Amino acid sequence: VLSFSFFYGYPVYQRIRAKNEAEEKLPIFVRSIAELIRSTGDNLYNALRKLNEGDLISSSLVKVTTFGKVIDDTISRYLTALVTAGTFEPKTDSWMLNTVFKNLMEMDKQGVLKYNVFTRLAEITDAYYDAIMAKKRGLYTFIGASILAPAIMTGVIVMTVYVLHSIAGLVQIPNLEIESTNGIAVPSGITGLLNFFLAFINVGNYVNQMLPTLELMIAETGVIFGILYAKSADGTIKNTFRIVQVSIVAVISIIIMQIALAYV
């Protein structure tokens, strides 16, 4: 499970991170184009070309990411596509970036690249990103509980075993058969109560037999809550890398449980 989740989910996790970075920097990208067009009167192609060339360090020719990998790659593909094919279709993981780029190209064709339109577009992208972040902040409690679920389960198991062992250490069960032969009458209700406490004496043996099952339950909790974590945090269960993250917490929790029970 961990191997599949890592090798399948990590690339998805990276794409989601790049998408989030693009949507975060999209308002800055729009405002940068607006300032270039207002100050130079360029069309969209020339404005994007200047932005692209401005990201090059002449001494080493190393490209510095200004707007995030997704936006920078989209700019590069746009410049190349207009020269080679004359048309460009933005295809990224960000619906907002695709929409903004299509609108920019449409406005460029119609010759309506106005500064006030750009500022309004930047405000819309700002509001879109703020709405996404507000949604994520609303899920922080659930996300935190998902990550800590295996650790919480471990704590409950350790405390339960500790209480059971404490009760077993305090209970002193008389020998009912010997007392009965000496003429001591033990009411049936008391006998049942004593037999109930008698079960706690062997609780250590029962717990040791249950440990593999309890550890499996903690591991399964890591997988299940990893799926819920991916769905809530990233909006898709394709990001199975979240399963790895929560499962690591589960593995550490199992190790801590073994150490704690050794002292109990």
Side-chain angles (χ1 to χ4, degrees):
V1 170
L2 288 178
S3 298
F4 172 81
S5 300
F6 180 84
F7 288 108
Y8 174 79
Y10 187 72
V12 179
Y13 171 71
Q14 292 292 83
R15 288 175 57 184
I16 291 175
R17 285 190 60 185
K19 166 185 169 294
N20 293 338
E21 181 187 26
E23 292 177 347
E24 178 184 3
K25 296 184 177 181
L26 188 55
I28 303 174
F29 166 68
V30 174
R31 290 188 176 98
S32 298
I33 299 176
E35 291 298 332
L36 267 176
I37 292 177
R38 184 177 68 166
S39 59
T40 63
D42 288 330
N43 59 13
L44 181 63
Y45 177 85
N46 288 331
L48 291 178
R49 181 177 57 81
K50 289 179 180 179
L51 283 178
N52 190 58
E53 292 175 351
D55 294 340
L56 294 177
I57 300 177
S58 57
S59 59
S60 59
L61 295 180
V62 177
K63 195 172 190 304
V64 179
T65 301
T66 303
F67 306 111
K69 183 178 183 300
V70 175
I71 295 181
D72 287 349
D73 287 348
T74 304
I75 294 174
S76 298
R77 289 189 292 107
Y78 169 78
L79 296 174
T80 303
L82 282 196
V83 173
T84 57
T87 59
F88 176 70
E89 181 69 21
K91 293 181 180 179
T92 69
D93 293 324
S94 171
W95 170 85
M96 178 56 78
L97 176 58
N98 296 339
T99 303
V100 168
F101 228 95
K102 289 179 181 178
N103 287 335
L104 291 178
M105 290 187 297
E106 187 64 28
M107 287 189 295
D108 184 44
K109 290 179 181 179
Q110 297 178 5
V112 290
L113 292 175
K114 304 296 183 180
Y115 181 76
N116 60 336
V117 177
F118 276 95
T119 54
R120 181 57 179 162
L121 190 58
E123 291 173 359
I124 294 174
T125 54
D126 259 331
Y128 175 79
Y129 183 72
D130 289 342
I132 291 177
M133 294 307 298
K135 177 184 176 182
K136 288 186 176 182
R137 286 192 296 270
L139 293 171
Y140 279 171
T141 302
F142 177 78
I143 291 174
S146 298
I147 297 174
L148 296 177
I152 295 173
M153 187 175 181
T154 298
V156 172
I157 292 173
V158 172
M159 289 301 299
T160 302
V161 173
Y162 174 75
V163 171
L164 293 176
H165 275 280
S166 298
I167 295 175
L170 293 174
V171 174
Q172 300 294 327
I173 305 298
N175 191 323
L176 299 183
E177 293 182 359
I178 295 178
E179 293 183 2
S180 296
T181 56
N182 291 334
I184 300 176
V186 181
S188 59
I190 298 298
T191 303
L193 180 63
L194 294 176
N195 287 333
F196 170 77
F197 283 107
L198 183 64
F200 285 97
I201 294 180
N202 296 320
V203 70
N205 295 330
Y206 291 117
V207 169
N208 289 335
Q209 294 174 6
M210 291 173 59
L211 277 181
T213 303
L214 294 174
E215 292 171 355
L216 178 61
M217 289 173 59
I218 295 173
E220 290 175 344
T221 300
V223 174
I224 294 171
F225 277 84
I227 296 174
L228 296 177
Y229 178 28
K231 180 64 177 176
S232 59
D234 303 322
T236 173
I237 58 174
K238 292 181 179 180
N239 183 11
T240 56
F241 182 68
R242 298 296 188 183
I243 297 176
V244 178
Q245 292 177 311
V246 183
S247 295
I248 290 175
V249 177
V251 171
I252 295 174
S253 300
I254 290 173
I255 295 173
I256 293 175
M257 184 183 75
Q258 291 176 335
I259 296 174
L261 292 181
Y263 288 96
V264 170

